[in-house]
Amino acid sequence: MSPTKASNSTLRQIPSIDQLLRSGTAAEMRKSVGSKQLTGLARSVIGAIRDLVRSGGEVAGEPPEKHTTASLLAEAERRLVSAFERERLTGLTRVINATGVVLHTNLGRAPLSDETVKAIQQAARYCNLEYDTASGSRGRRGVRVESLVKALTGAEDALVVNNCASAALLILTVLAKGGETIVSRGELVEIGGDFRIPDVMATSGTRMVEVGTTNRTSIDDYRLAITGDTRLLMRVHPSNYRIVGFASSPSLSQLVDLAREVKLPLYEDAGSGQLNEMIQFGVTDEFGIKELVRVGADVISFSGDKLLGSAQAGVIVGKAEIVNRLRKHPLYRALRVDKLRLAALQASLESYQKAEEVAEIPTLHMISLTQSEIRARAQRILDQLQSDEHNNLLVSLKDDLSAIGGGAAPTTRLETTVISLGHCLMSAEQLERCLRTNQPPIIGRISEGHVLLDLRTVYEDEEPALVRALQTIKTSGLTALASV
Ligand SMILES: *Cc1c(COP(=O)(O)O)cnc(C)c1O
């Protein structure tokens, strides 16, 4: 029998799209998938099987001629389920962050507090976004958030835009378009997700004047670069990296003095919005925004979803005259935030105002966790996994370090204890994949042939789901292996 004949007779065995849609699997999926999408998926599944058979390729590990209509239908049903799963996984879905990276850019940076979630829910229907309920007339968007930011930072005025990148764009456009902006060569940074200082300058229409060198810049370098075209002095927080060794740059107060002397504004892009110092938790490489305001930067921008621990936003604080110019510029209209994020920010800032931020804001709470607290939780999980029956999982505890992430405090490492996992039948990569494709996905990291789970970034109420996933992997290692 020639291969062509084999595949021709097998082609006739391939179930029709209709047959697949009448299967029990399809009937069960219809409720959650919807008829239209299901038909589309069925069409592509049958199409893929037909292509495989035509090309003489194996279907479900068997040559085409070994298949019957029944076995091809079973394979089509299996593919239908996984096609939908794959599609669904590309949508936003909750994951368990067991990486120990508190501000994980790929996992949505700052997780929101319960208070924040409630506030978002409150604002979700109609709300007084631009309405003054006391007078019954039009109100200004963001008033409450702005006044909270002012109170918490000591700044004269505040404004909120889409993110810190938009804040930089707005500030550079309004203050320096058509003129020159002086910046140190040591601060021409790229910050995750394609934010590059030279590109933002170019887009804002300001000419970038670089001074100093990568590792050393002096106050005189700035002074000598000032011309009649200079509009702005800019300092950029290097965020995700540090230059160590033979390195120096002028202090903020030296720059403030120079800016006042030459009557130019000084802009500090602070990146991570840490309102208060967090030295007590071992974070020694970030300045508090309050301190930057006190020293006298004219305008400062920072992110809402980094160390501030709230929703994505770019917060601007500074001199009233400058912030007011930003507020009146048409670009602000394009970069403004919506009601949901204002609600979130308001709730987070209220936590700071009550001095309850470490208890209420997950980012700060996670940073504040001590190694012994994390170890105790890890031990509890370990205890739940102890049993000799069908145990293919090798579990132990290991002292390790968590990171803050998100382009903040790059040199800070927080002591932690991780759950270290190995498996008798799976490689670390297969084990990591099993966890990642769990429902909900559990994201860990691989180190030296083990999968490490750091509970610093896992909510306590997520622990049962974690234990369930590990129990499944422990006893049904072979099934798990077959599906990866
Ligand atoms: C993170 C960061 C940005 C970009 O902030 P987004 O909120 O992600 O837009 C800009 N500047 C600095 C210094 C940063 O650290």
Side-chain angles (χ1 to χ4, degrees):
M1 194 160 50
S2 78
T4 326
K5 270 188 189 152
S7 56
N8 269 341
S9 67
T10 318
L11 273 173
R12 284 192 292 274
Q13 309 288 324
I14 295 175
S16 67
I17 295 166
D18 242 24
Q19 266 174 301
L20 177 56
L21 287 171
R22 283 196 305 271
S23 68
T25 306
E28 208 162 286
M29 287 171 71
R30 189 163 279 114
K31 278 186 255 46
S32 50
V33 185
S35 285
K36 200 164 166 194
Q37 195 197 354
L38 194 63
T39 308
L41 288 174
R43 186 173 292 127
S44 71
V45 161
I46 297 297
I49 291 178
R50 185 170 294 122
D51 288 347
L52 262 182
V53 170
R54 271 216 191 96
S55 66
E58 289 191 344
V59 181
E62 298 276 4
E65 62 269 20
K66 287 267 174 68
H67 276 286
T68 62
T69 301
S71 71
L72 287 174
L73 181 61
E75 171 62 8
E77 288 176 53
R78 200 189 62 75
R79 285 176 177 236
L80 191 64
V81 172
S82 69
F84 176 57
E85 275 301 300
R86 264 201 312 280
E87 203 165 287
R88 211 173 45 84
L89 282 177
T90 62
L92 272 187
T93 178
R94 177 174 85 95
V95 305
I96 295 179
N97 175 10
T99 64
V101 180
V102 179
L103 297 169
H104 197 302
T105 304
N106 302 145
L107 303 183
R109 275 201 198 155
L112 298 178
S113 68
D114 293 345
E115 290 74 15
T116 309
V117 173
K118 262 183 236 140
I120 290 175
Q121 214 158 21
Q122 288 270 322
R125 293 188 175 180
Y126 294 112
C127 66
N128 59 343
L129 180 64
E130 292 183 358
Y131 185 73
D132 182 350
T133 40
S135 66
S137 57
R138 187 177 173 167
R140 195 159 56 74
R141 174 186 296 250
V143 182
R144 168 90 176 128
V145 165
E146 289 170 11
S147 68
L148 283 164
V149 172
K150 279 191 277 184
L152 290 164
T153 61
E156 285 178 17
D157 203 356
L159 192 66
V160 181
V161 290
N162 181 59
N163 56 8
C164 196
S166 349
L169 184 67
L170 179 64
I171 292 166
L172 290 167
T173 304
V174 174
L175 299 185
K177 187 176 178 173
E180 295 175 348
T181 298
I182 301 178
V183 66
S184 161
R185 287 198 170 86
E187 297 169 3
L188 299 179
V189 295
E190 171 175 319
I191 291 150
D194 303 327
F195 178 84
R196 289 180 159 193
I197 294 297
D199 297 345
V200 180
M201 294 246 189
T203 308
S204 311
T206 183
R207 230 169 13 263
M208 180 172 75
V209 176
E210 307 167 32
V211 297
T213 62
T214 303
N215 57 329
R216 282 171 82 85
T217 303
S218 73
I219 192 71
D220 282 337
D221 291 326
Y222 287 86
R223 186 187 296 278
L224 290 170
I226 294 168
T227 69
D229 288 336
T230 309
R231 297 282 173 274
L232 185 67
L233 306 183
M234 180 177 185
R235 200 171 82 138
V236 185
H237 186 23
S239 291
N240 47 10
Y241 82 108
R242 293 290 180 270
I243 295 172
V244 296
F246 188 57
S248 70
S249 56
S251 67
L252 183 63
S253 72
Q254 279 178 294
L255 281 167
V256 167
D257 289 345
L258 175 64
R260 284 185 187 156
E261 180 191 323
V262 297
K263 298 196 165 49
L264 286 169
L266 173 67
Y267 165 35
E268 164 102 6
D269 179 12
S272 181
Q274 181 188 319
L275 286 189
N276 307 314
E277 313 268 320
M278 292 199 287
I279 295 162
Q280 74 273 32
F281 306 132
V283 183
T284 52
D285 52 351
E286 289 286 341
F287 280 108
I289 298 296
K290 215 166 160 172
E291 180 62 10
L292 302 175
V293 172
R294 195 191 60 75
V295 175
D298 297 292
V299 60
I300 302 164
S301 60
F302 56 96
S303 296
D305 56 344
K306 291 186 185 170
L307 284 173
L308 184 72
S310 191
Q312 179 190 300
V315 185
I316 299 169
V317 295
K319 297 276 152 63
E321 181 267 325
I322 290 176
V323 175
N324 221 17
R325 274 167 66 201
L326 302 176
R327 189 179 280 123
K328 292 204 174 105
H329 194 276
L331 195 52
Y332 166 65
R333 175 63 182 77
L335 302 176
R336 73 182 188 186
V337 282
D338 71 307
K339 62 176 181 175
L340 299 184
R341 281 192 283 158
L342 281 173
L345 276 169
Q346 180 179 316
S348 307
L349 293 167
E350 280 166 356
S351 293
Y352 282 94
Q353 204 186 33
K354 291 181 291 178
E356 291 291 339
E357 70 271 19
V358 178
E360 291 184 355
I361 294 183
T363 303
L364 302 182
H365 177 69
M366 286 169 180
I367 290 172
S368 79
L369 290 175
T370 64
Q371 186 177 37
S372 63
E373 288 171 305
I374 296 169
R375 173 175 274 272
R377 286 172 57 193
Q379 184 63 52
R380 273 208 306 278
I381 288 184
L382 221 64
D383 294 343
Q384 293 174 66
L385 292 171
Q386 296 306 341
S387 85
D388 302 325
E389 259 178 281
H390 316 293
N391 194 354
N392 292 317
L393 203 57
L394 311 164
V395 202
S396 60
L397 299 186
K398 180 173 169 285
D399 287 348
D400 202 36
L401 297 168
S402 323
I404 290 185
T411 59
T412 294
R413 287 289 177 275
L414 307 165
E415 290 189 354
T416 191
T417 296
V418 296
I419 300 174
S420 170
L421 299 170
H423 198 277
C424 301
L425 305 168
M426 281 190 259
S427 68
E429 285 72 20
Q430 287 170 318
L431 186 55
E432 184 272 340
R433 190 169 161 187
C434 263
L435 290 163
R436 179 156 46 80
T437 51
N438 183 63
Q439 237 4 282
I442 297 165
I443 315 297
R445 62 194 163 86
I446 296 176
S447 169
E448 295 168 4
H450 287 83
V451 175
L452 306 183
L453 303 179
D454 187 343
L455 297 180
R456 180 182 296 280
T457 48
V458 176
Y459 286 74
E460 288 199 39
D461 64 14
E462 291 172 332
E463 286 177 11
L466 189 65
V467 170
R468 269 197 303 282
L470 292 177
Q471 254 150 0
T472 310
I473 292 170
K474 179 176 95 171
T475 52
S476 58
L478 278 171
T479 337
L481 182 57
S483 70
V484 296

